[in-house]
Amino acid sequence: MAHLITHPAALDVLDQNDDGGINLNEALAKLDIQLDELVISDDSSLLGLSISSLQLRGEGTFLVVALRREDGSTIINPGHDVFLEKGDTVIVMGHRGDIPRFASHYALKRQMKWGARH
């Protein structure tokens, strides 16, 4: 899993599963892990926080693996000093039960991408 975080292009390769390779959905599901997108709305209490502060509020339940800005640009493995802006989408990886609780607590819109679906 650490390799997937530090080598995000591997996500696309693993997700294809064209010739019997490992499917990302299956690999994450076995670990009870999911990737999720959390959208930072105009009125979010997380607006203006750093990635570091966001992860602290998550209490270690997820890792931020990428940040997609409103203009469509993507920052892979954003630094701890990157700040959340209106319209950002934070791509996180964590236990399938923890991310929904965090998103609900902060009234974030979720878009589950990969992982365990029960």
Side-chain angles (χ1 to χ4, degrees), residues 70-109:
E70 190 171 36
D71 67 5
S73 62
T74 301
I75 303 169
I76 303 296
N77 194 19
H80 291 287
D81 58 346
V82 172
F83 291 88
L84 298 175
E85 300 174 2
K86 170 184 78 132
D88 282 351
T89 300
V90 183
I91 295 99
V92 297
M93 179 185 292
H95 185 270
R96 71 177 182 91
D98 293 332
I99 296 170
R101 281 191 292 275
F102 179 83
S104 176
H105 180 77
Y106 287 100
L108 296 171
K109 179 180 172 190

Side-chain angles (χ1 to χ4, degrees), residues 33-100:
I33 301 284
Q34 73 182 48
L35 282 177
D36 222 329
E37 294 183 354
L38 305 175
V39 179
I40 307 299
S41 64
D42 297 353
D43 59 351
S44 173
S45 63
L46 302 176
L47 196 60
L49 286 181
S50 67
I51 295 295
S52 177
S53 294
L54 176 69
Q55 290 186 144
L56 282 173
R57 287 188 184 210
E59 299 176 350
T61 59
F62 60 81
L63 295 171
V64 175
V65 295
L67 176 69
R68 188 172 51 242
R69 296 289 189 188
E70 190 171 36
D71 67 5
S73 62
T74 301
I75 303 169
I76 303 296
N77 194 19
H80 291 287
D81 58 346
V82 172
F83 291 88
L84 298 175
E85 300 174 2
K86 170 184 78 132
D88 282 351
T89 300
V90 183
I91 295 99
V92 297
M93 179 185 292
H95 185 270
R96 71 177 182 91
D98 293 332
I99 296 170

